[in-house]
Amino acid sequence: MVGEVWVKREDGKFWPSEEMKKKANISDESIYEKSYEDPISFWEKMAGELHWFEKWSKPYEENMPYFKWFIGGKINMSYNCLDRHLDERGDKPAIIWEPEPPHGETRVLTYRELYKEVNKFANVLKSLGVKKGDRVGIYLPMIPEVQIAMLACARIGAVHTVVFSAFSSESLKHRLVDSNAKVLITADGYYRRGKVEDLKSKADKAVEGTEVEHVVVVRRIGSDVNMVEGRDHFWDELMENAEDFCEPEVMESEDPLFILYTSGTTGKPKGIIHETGGYATQAYTTTKFIFDVHDDDIFWCTADIGWVTGHTYACYGPLLNGATLLTYEGAPDYPDPGVWWSIIEKHKVTIFYTAPTAIRMFERLGEEWIDKYDLSSLRILGSVGEPIGEEAWMWFFEKIGGGRCPIVDTWWQTETGGILISSLPGIGPFIPTFAGRPFPGVRMTILNENGEETKPNEEGYLVQKSPFAPGMLRGVFGNPEKYKEEYWSKFEGIYYTSDGAYKDEDGNIRIIGRLDDVMKVAGHRLSTAEVEDAITKHPDVAECAVVPRPDKIKGEVPVAFVILKGDYREGLENEIKDIVRKEIGPTATPAEIYFVDDVPKTRSGKIMRRILKKLLRGEDVGDITTLKNPESVAAIKEKISKTE
Ligand code: WTA
């Protein structure tokens, strides 16, 4: 079947069709100029579309490197996602959930049903002693309880910190300790590629020795789990007696909504703080304009809730807009590589937001899995997390979108809370490999080393200038120094993203990639230092350096160079990989481990990861005479060429 045509080709670029322009929430190009000129009025107008118990007295205030939005405004996120829609959309599906086959059936929660569950769980949290400002850990798979738990926290003003379910108990523990969480919400386990994954025993290990007083356990697989008397409770048992209504807590706009841990340049992930009113405004506005949600749309963002994309576009953004969101518990290729496309056909998904790594995977799995299904319901495609190459872009456009749907290539970060660069469906253009213009009201630009704006096609540092977008981070939990150093020290009064980029003549931005030691492995953010810290926990390892190497499907994979204390022995590779899995999780496992005598270092002893990266890519390493140990370079080069 052929669906409607939402995009047309002109001058080698793609533009919205007349149908798209007519339908789009925004198609007037003057929005850009007006909002870049006066971002504060733009964001005030958008915030005004949300529900405030009391309007703000001042829209924006700056005291660098801190800034605030909607000062004095009183708001509640769950009220805006739920209560606000009850009259008009009470019976409309809010969440459509698909289990991993064959374990269970589709679950649909209407806005009224979701409202009821959230109210009840908010009362459960209260009964466990959770108060406004307390931190609550959420370690759940992709089941509707994850959105219910997040919204229930928001309802009572508790700060959630969601931890990706594939992360290890060590990773969970670090986050629970660092955020000082009082309650943890988890599940007995979940299904992944036909296997049962255990969560509860990982949670048990993590909770030991922390301040966590209560653990709430969702029964997803019905396994026999160990329950600690007085500490552990089953979700369903607590919900049985919970009251149906919980008064939403009246929050200051600047009160924190959540903390999400992400990798930076150092070993331990840092807790990125997001507040309520500004984040809500940005999540709402970007979903409305970039994904162009309407009442008849079914919006599927495939990101796991453990990442920021899941927070903003698989929970808050769609619900703030009263849209229907779809979530899927399982892996993209199980029970077969047609499962995603069968879900799109079954539920007539109209907006589909995913990552380049998934697109590249499907491109290689063969088209028969796609051709079997009718994807004509699709209207808008989205990409996020890493640069999407031209080939993957065109394949996504032709094969999934049937050449009918625009692709919004959305650039943003955990720190920015919502999308900051993307083209808009009703305005365009959609150019392969270019994310597009900065979102209305956002002053993204590119600077050279001296802090001057670059000319078209000249590469530089991607930055944001004041006033900073409302959804931006407000700090690093418990570490103000890190906040200043990582984001505000490169250019005075300017937010530095750590990405490199350039603009074309029309101001469309192309992202080159990270300029620091952060890797994107299958879209997952990881720091080289984190993996190095895990590897050096092995008793035989003296020192190590981890760098990313390009990978056809995952984008990047970590490669480790290890210096041993003693001699090499059989089995070390696997032991090292196991340690990484245990300390971080399977996504961080090194693709290759090279045992070497030395790694290139500067005279002051700093490891030159840049050189290792070049060696892995087979590139010229340039002048190495100033190194402390230039001879190490030739030795490593030989080792790499031998294994290839
Ligand atoms: C990269 C994910 C190219 C970028 C939302 C950024 C992208 C990092 C894109 C943040 C894109 C994100 N094109 N690169 N469309 N979107 N990135 O915190 O390097 O997991 O700094 O947030 O992903 O990753 P994070």
Side-chain angles (χ1 to χ4, degrees), residues 51-121:
H51 171 272
W52 297 78
F53 299 114
E54 213 175 287
K55 206 189 154 188
W56 54 93
S57 52
K58 196 176 172 195
Y60 183 74
E61 194 179 276
E62 220 172 75
N63 181 13
M64 289 308 294
Y66 296 98
F67 50 91
K68 292 179 179 169
W69 277 93
F70 313 121
I71 299 123
K74 309 263 191 287
I75 189 167
N76 181 284
M77 179 59 119
S78 96
Y79 189 97
N80 272 286
C81 288
L82 301 168
D83 309 44
R84 197 162 61 97
H85 304 306
L86 290 182
D87 283 345
E88 255 179 72
R89 304 190 175 92
D91 298 322
K92 175 180 172 171
I95 298 180
I96 300 174
W97 176 75
E98 276 293 325
E100 178 173 291
H103 303 286
E105 310 211 324
T106 311
R107 234 174 111 186
V108 178
L109 287 162
T110 64
Y111 269 91
R112 203 179 314 283
E113 287 162 342
L114 181 61
Y115 168 80
K116 187 172 157 193
E117 296 298 303
V118 168
N119 274 270
K120 285 174 77 173
F121 196 65

Side-chain angles (χ1 to χ4, degrees), residues 359-384:
I359 298 164
R360 291 189 297 260
M361 183 187 85
F362 285 114
E363 200 183 336
R364 276 166 185 78
L365 284 172
E367 298 181 350
E368 69 269 25
W369 295 108
I370 297 151
D371 295 341
K372 270 173 93 172
Y373 299 99
D374 175 12
L375 305 182
S376 62
S377 57
L378 290 171
R379 188 165 72 87
I380 293 172
L381 304 176
S383 170
V384 63

Side-chain angles (χ1 to χ4, degrees), residues 6 37 80 82 97 116 122 139 151 167 230 278 352-353 408 433 494 537 555 597 600 604:
W6 301 106
E37 191 62 36
N80 272 286
L82 301 168
W97 176 75
K116 187 172 157 193
Y139 187 52
L151 289 160
F167 273 149
F352 181 60
Y353 188 29
V408 287
T433 74
I494 290 175
K537 292 220 160 91
D597 296 327
S604 60

Side-chain angles (χ1 to χ4, degrees), residues 66 178 259-262 266 268-274 415 473-488:
Y66 296 98
D178 194 80
I259 300 172
L260 183 59
Y261 283 79
T262 192
T266 47
K268 289 278 174 229
K270 51 197 172 180
I272 302 299
I273 307 171
H274 284 288
E415 290 86 346
L473 80 166
R474 296 299 196 266
V476 172
F477 192 73
N479 201 342
E481 281 314 308
K482 176 133 265 178
Y483 173 71
K484 288 181 197 152
E485 182 193 308
E486 292 237 346
Y487 309 109
W488 305 99

